[in-house]
Amino acid sequence: MGKKVLLFGDIGIDDTIALMYAYCDDIIEIVGVVADYGNVSRENALSSTEYVKSLFPKKKVEKVKLIAGAHIPMTGEVPTYVPEIHGEYGLGPIIPPKCMDNGISDNFFEVVELIKAYKDELIIVNIGRLTSLATLFLLYKSLMRSIKGYYIMGGAFWMPGNITAVSEANIYGDPVAAQVVLANAKNVKIIPLNATNQAIVTPQMINYLDQVGQIPLVKELLDYYYQFYKKRDPAIQGAPLHDVVTLMAVKKSNLFSYQSHPVYIVQDASGIARGQSIADIRPYADLTQSEGENIVGGKIHEIACKLDYPSFYRDFMTVMTKEIFE
């Protein structure tokens, strides 16, 4: 049975590979993509998302609605983009053709019609900043109760972040929005760095995808991505596909092991702990208050802790090559 997914992303290389993965997959059905600021500007994210669609047969992607998301975070700050990691358009060294500028600017509220159309069969996967998703909770809280479930790539629990010593990029980029979502959403699975850092794609995997895969540009994108990670950490064996593995979890319930804890996001705008994701792991914490909240105000959510790497490897390589990997 297909999984209908509304995807929110700040389209970088791992977001792009996640879209390619979804378009190749037989179970995941992307019904809409909300392109936000984050890794790149919103305008560039829209162009790259449209370009990726153009690489696939029209019949496969014609029903995918492209929606312009947020320009800036709820904090009101000017975003800082990361072309050294993802390229100017989130496509590494690739610049999409100018014809990909389709003029989409302010159609965000079309996402409401998508949610109404699919109702309780719709799954939301957020693999970027949470600004656009938080906006929906602020304006349409009752409507958001109809969502079947949420998968959120973000956070770093009990381990170093990738932006600061304690904070992961998606949460750090708009901690206010992250707290709004986590304080209001139900049926949430948080997929943090704890789990996504384990989803490594090696140079050998990349080269094989280039030789037999069905999708152009994969090697160019992943080589660019890996070069950044290799420069930062020479010991790393490959590039982590944070967003692919989050999307994969929609169809593979046993992909991760989970722990359930109250979660709270630190919103201090300037302090060192900004964007820190805190899980209350005290066995004696008061978890009896209404709506699953404990004394510090955190709602209980499932946190992915460990990835079944062989399962990830088999599924990713099978979907991307159309060969059977065991």
Side-chain angles (χ1 to χ4, degrees), residues 100-120:
M100 291 298 115
D101 182 5
N102 57 18
I104 293 176
S105 58
D106 295 310
N107 68 337
F108 176 68
F109 291 105
E110 291 182 24
V111 75
V112 174
E113 299 307 314
L114 273 177
I115 294 172
K116 289 179 178 178
Y118 293 103
K119 295 183 179 178
D120 57 1

Side-chain angles (χ1 to χ4, degrees), residues 153-175:
M153 192 279 122
F157 295 89
W158 325 295
M159 66 172 293
N162 59 2
I163 291 294
T164 73
V166 295
S167 301
E168 178 274 333
N170 288 339
I171 306 298
Y172 181 89
D174 193 345

Side-chain angles (χ1 to χ4, degrees), residues 152-160 168 189-201 239-246 249 255-259 302-309 312:
I152 296 172
M153 192 279 122
F157 295 89
W158 325 295
M159 66 172 293
E168 178 274 333
K189 286 183 169 60
I190 302 172
I191 318 296
L193 294 181
N194 308 56
T196 65
N197 277 342
Q198 301 170 40
I200 292 292
V201 57
L241 297 186
H242 307 285
D243 299 336
V244 174
V245 77
T246 302
L255 185 64
F256 298 109
S257 59
Y258 293 91
Q259 296 181 17
E302 291 188 76
I303 303 169
C305 298
K306 183 174 176 56
L307 171 70
D308 180 347
Y309 185 83
F312 159 75

Side-chain angles (χ1 to χ4, degrees), residues 145-160:
R145 293 193 185 109
S146 68
I147 301 299
K148 184 175 182 179
Y150 299 86
Y151 291 76
I152 296 172
M153 192 279 122
F157 295 89
W158 325 295
M159 66 172 293

Side-chain angles (χ1 to χ4, degrees), residues 217-259:
L217 309 182
V218 171
K219 181 172 172 58
E220 291 91 330
L221 294 175
L222 290 177
D223 279 350
Y224 187 98
Y225 197 46
Y226 179 49
Q227 286 170 12
F228 167 80
Y229 279 99
K230 189 71 173 177
K231 183 177 180 181
R232 190 173 69 174
D233 178 9
I236 198 168
Q237 299 300 304
L241 297 186
H242 307 285
D243 299 336
V244 174
V245 77
T246 302
L247 192 57
M248 190 183 291
V250 169
K251 68 174 190 177
K252 296 180 73 65
S253 60
N254 296 323
L255 185 64
F256 298 109
S257 59
Y258 293 91
Q259 296 181 17

Side-chain angles (χ1 to χ4, degrees), residues 19-259:
L19 280 171
M20 291 177 169
Y21 167 84
Y23 293 153
C24 290
D25 190 71
D26 295 329
I27 297 175
I28 295 173
E29 178 187 350
I30 301 292
V31 300
V33 178
V34 180
D36 287 313
Y37 77 94
N39 293 314
V40 301
S41 69
R42 186 187 77 165
E43 289 70 27
N44 288 0
L46 287 165
S47 295
S48 59
T49 305
E50 188 71 17
Y51 177 55
V52 171
K53 279 182 63 177
S54 74
L55 301 176
F56 290 82
K58 186 175 180 180
K59 184 177 180 180
K60 179 71 176 177
V61 298
E62 62 183 347
K63 293 183 180 180
V64 178
K65 183 70 176 177
L66 180 55
I67 295 169
H71 281 288
I72 61 173
M74 287 186 171
T75 60
E77 299 161 311
V78 176
T80 299
Y81 307 128
V82 285
E84 68 276 11
I85 306 174
H86 296 280
E88 183 181 357
Y89 283 83
L91 297 170
I94 298 163
I95 305 297
K98 289 185 177 181
C99 63
M100 291 298 115
D101 182 5
N102 57 18
I104 293 176
S105 58
D106 295 310
N107 68 337
F108 176 68
F109 291 105
E110 291 182 24
V111 75
V112 174
E113 299 307 314
L114 273 177
I115 294 172
K116 289 179 178 178
Y118 293 103
K119 295 183 179 178
D120 57 1
E121 62 178 328
L122 186 65
I123 296 168
I124 285 180
V125 176
N126 196 302
I127 54 178
R129 280 55 169 171
L130 287 112
T131 313
S132 291
L133 184 54
T135 299
L136 290 168
F137 278 103
L138 294 177
L139 297 177
Y140 298 99
K141 186 173 181 178
S142 60
L143 177 65
M144 300 307 285
R145 293 193 185 109
S146 68
I147 301 299
K148 184 175 182 179
Y150 299 86
Y151 291 76
I152 296 172
M153 192 279 122
F157 295 89
W158 325 295
M159 66 172 293
N162 59 2
I163 291 294
T164 73
V166 295
S167 301
E168 178 274 333
N170 288 339
I171 306 298
Y172 181 89
D174 193 345
V176 173
Q179 180 59 22
V180 167
V181 172
L182 295 178
N184 289 280
K186 297 182 178 181
N187 300 321
V188 175
K189 286 183 169 60
I190 302 172
I191 318 296
L193 294 181
N194 308 56
T196 65
N197 277 342
Q198 301 170 40
I200 292 292
V201 57
T202 66
Q204 293 78 14
M205 293 166 66
I206 294 170
N207 289 335
Y208 191 79
L209 290 174
D210 184 53
Q211 294 170 15
V212 305
Q214 307 298 309
I215 316 165
L217 309 182
V218 171
K219 181 172 172 58
E220 291 91 330
L221 294 175
L222 290 177
D223 279 350
Y224 187 98
Y225 197 46
Y226 179 49
Q227 286 170 12
F228 167 80
Y229 279 99
K230 189 71 173 177
K231 183 177 180 181
R232 190 173 69 174
D233 178 9
I236 198 168
Q237 299 300 304
L241 297 186
H242 307 285
D243 299 336
V244 174
V245 77
T246 302
L247 192 57
M248 190 183 291
V250 169
K251 68 174 190 177
K252 296 180 73 65
S253 60
N254 296 323
L255 185 64
F256 298 109
S257 59
Y258 293 91
Q259 296 181 17

